[in-house]
Amino acid sequence: AQKITQTQPGMFVQEKEAVTLDCTYDTSDPSYGLFWYKQPSSGEMIFLIYQGSYDQQNATEGRYSLNFQKARKSANLVISASQLGDSAMYFCAMSDRDSNYQLIWGAGTKLIIKP
Amino acid sequence: ETGVTQTPRHLVMGMTNKKSLKCEQHLGHNAMYWYKQSAKKPLELMFVYNFKEQTENNSVPSRFSPECPNSSHLFLHLHTLQPEDSALYLCASSQDQDSSTDTQYFGPGTRLTVL
C-alpha cells in the first residue's frame, strides 16, 4: 500500500498567488515525521519544512507553512505569495519506525508559476 | 565549503568503464545516503551508512559498490554499468538514522549517462 500520496501531478499558479500542494500519508506508528522538499530543474533536493506527529502547531518557515490535519492524515504544503523561482518539483516524504526511519517519498507535484 | 557536495556534477561513461562518484558533507552528520532518481520514477534509496557502518542495501546490483571511509565522505564506485543505470544520483546526510525527526540534507547530484 502506498504510504505517501501526492494527487496533483502538475499545477499552474499565477505569480503572487498562494498555492497548496496536497499530501496524504498512511502509518500506524504514533511517532512519525513529515517532510517537504523542493527540487528545481538543476536537480538538487532542497529541504523546506518538517512537521512532527506530536507537534501541536503547524510548522512554518518563511513563506512555507504546513497544514497538518492529523485525523485526516494530511500534510499539505502552503506557499504564500508565490514567486517565479518557486517553479520546481515538490516532494512530500515521511519517516516512521516501520520504515526504519528511512524516508518514504511521494511521487511529487510539478509546480509552474506563471508570470 | 558548506552543506553536502558531490563530484562530478555530470558523468558520461561507457559500459566497460570504471568510475567513482564522490560525496562530502560538512555538517558534522553521522549518516550518509545514496539515492537513485530515474526519469518519471520516485527516489530509490540505494545505500545507507550510519557511523561508517552500512545499515541498508536495498537490493542494489553489485556493479554499484559503496565506500564510506569516514562519516564525512561517501563514494559510489561504478563498473560495468548498463544504459538503464543512467539517472541522477543524489547523496544525502543526516545527524543519525534513529528517529523520525532526522532530517536529510542533499547534495546537488551527479547526472550519469551510460552509453
Side-chain angles (χ1 to χ4, degrees), chain B residues 1-69:
Chain B
E1 291 278 16
T2 58
V4 182
T5 58
Q6 288 186 244
T7 54
R9 296 292 310 275
H10 300 271
L11 178 62
V12 179
M13 59 187 288
M15 289 192 284
T16 57
N17 291 157
K18 287 185 179 181
K19 296 285 184 185
S20 295
L21 310 185
K22 179 183 176 183
C23 176
E24 184 174 359
Q25 59 95 2
H26 308 269
L27 299 169
H29 289 162
N30 296 303
M32 296 189 78
Y33 309 76
W34 278 118
Y35 286 90
K36 175 184 178 182
Q37 188 179 30
S38 304
K40 312 288 185 191
K41 287 187 177 180
L43 259 72
E44 300 172 50
L45 180 65
M46 300 175 74
F47 301 104
V48 182
Y49 279 81
N50 203 24
F51 292 93
K52 299 188 294 178
E53 299 296 321
Q54 189 179 115
T55 57
E56 296 282 342
N57 176 341
N58 284 350
S59 305
V60 179
S62 59
R63 56 186 184 270
F64 295 92
S65 174
E67 179 190 359
C68 188

Side-chain angles (χ1 to χ4, degrees), chain A residues 42-87:
Chain A
S42 58
E44 184 174 1
M45 195 71 78
I46 302 167
F47 167 68
L48 295 178
I49 196 166
Y50 163 82
Q51 179 84 44
S53 58
Y54 293 122
D55 293 344
Q56 295 295 315
Q57 294 189 319
N58 287 342
T60 60
E61 288 286 348
R63 292 187 301 112
Y64 303 108
S65 61
L66 206 151
N67 184 1
F68 181 45
Q69 297 187 42
K70 196 169 182 177
R72 297 177 64 182
K73 294 190 173 178
S74 144
N76 298 340
L77 177 71
V78 180
I79 306 174
S80 63
S82 58
Q83 302 170 358
L84 296 178
D86 294 332
S87 295

